[in-house]
Amino acid sequence: MTEQDTGRLLRKAANQLINNFDQFAANYGLTSMQMSVIDYLSRRHDEVVIQRDLEQEFNVKRSTMTLLLQRMDKKGLVVRKQALSDGRQKEVTLTNKSREMERLIQDYMKQQDNQIRQIFGQAEIEQFQRILNYYIEHTNEEN
């Protein structure tokens, strides 16, 4: 096997993963990022989630998340309101419309994870996660 640039392979794999998520999400009039936000919020239904939490979770700029949430708000997927803890921040909650899709999205995400776990052992998955976390943390330090 020839040596390959891991960064290029990671980018290629990420693009494929996003394409797969987009194909699934399109069945429900969503993008993969909208689907991921719904998944994140549904897993934290007992917590107050502010926009900054989403920015950190998805490693995106405030302007990117603002645009995404505005579009989701217009589609009736989320509600944004002033956070009680910080008037400068927006609290983000799911609507009934997006709650109807929660189980479908969670099942899809679990199915994707199970496919990987059927092929690779726990030690390989943990090593891969360490590599991914290195890329995430290393990139954040440089920016």
Side-chain angles (χ1 to χ4, degrees):
M1 186 167 169
T2 61
E3 189 174 319
Q4 297 184 40
D5 178 2
T6 57
R8 185 182 59 74
L9 285 174
L10 181 58
R11 180 64 184 180
K12 193 174 180 180
N15 285 343
Q16 185 60 50
L17 184 66
I18 290 168
N19 288 340
N20 293 347
F21 278 26
D22 275 333
Q23 284 180 348
F24 175 82
N27 293 321
Y28 304 96
L30 303 171
T31 66
S32 59
M33 190 64 171
Q34 290 170 340
M35 181 178 80
S36 295
V37 168
I38 292 170
D39 181 61
Y40 179 85
L41 291 172
S42 70
R43 293 177 189 281
R44 284 152 187 80
H45 59 86
D46 292 336
E47 301 172 26
V48 173
V49 177
I50 58 175
Q51 180 173 329
R52 183 175 48 229
D53 298 330
L54 293 165
E55 293 162 9
Q56 291 171 350
E57 173 67 18
F58 295 105
N59 197 21
V60 297
K61 294 178 183 177
R62 182 189 312 176
S63 59
T64 301
M65 187 54 65
T66 296
L67 185 59
L68 173 70
L69 293 174
Q70 285 173 342
R71 289 178 178 163
M72 290 181 77
D73 192 4
K74 284 182 185 176
K75 288 175 117 175
L77 298 170
V78 297
V79 173
R80 299 179 326 136
K81 63 182 179 182
Q82 188 174 5
L84 296 176
S85 61
D86 183 350
R88 299 169 295 172
Q89 287 290 321
K90 296 285 187 186
E91 184 179 322
V92 184
T93 57
L94 294 175
T95 63
N96 289 337
K97 180 178 179 179
S98 55
R99 290 219 176 268
E100 291 172 5
M101 292 183 261
E102 296 184 289
R103 180 56 46 205
L104 293 167
I105 292 170
Q106 287 177 0
D107 288 349
Y108 175 78
M109 298 291 216
K110 188 166 185 67
Q111 175 191 16
Q112 297 304 302
D113 191 59
N114 286 341
Q115 285 177 348
I116 295 295
R117 292 182 184 283
Q118 288 175 358
I119 297 168
F120 299 101
Q122 186 62 29
E124 290 173 300
I125 291 170
E126 287 173 7
Q127 179 65 30
F128 182 59
Q129 288 174 343
R130 281 194 297 273
I131 293 168
L132 292 174
N133 283 320
Y134 166 80
Y135 272 105
I136 292 166
E137 292 166 13
H138 183 70
T139 301
N140 283 339
E141 290 173 3
E142 289 179 354
N143 291 332

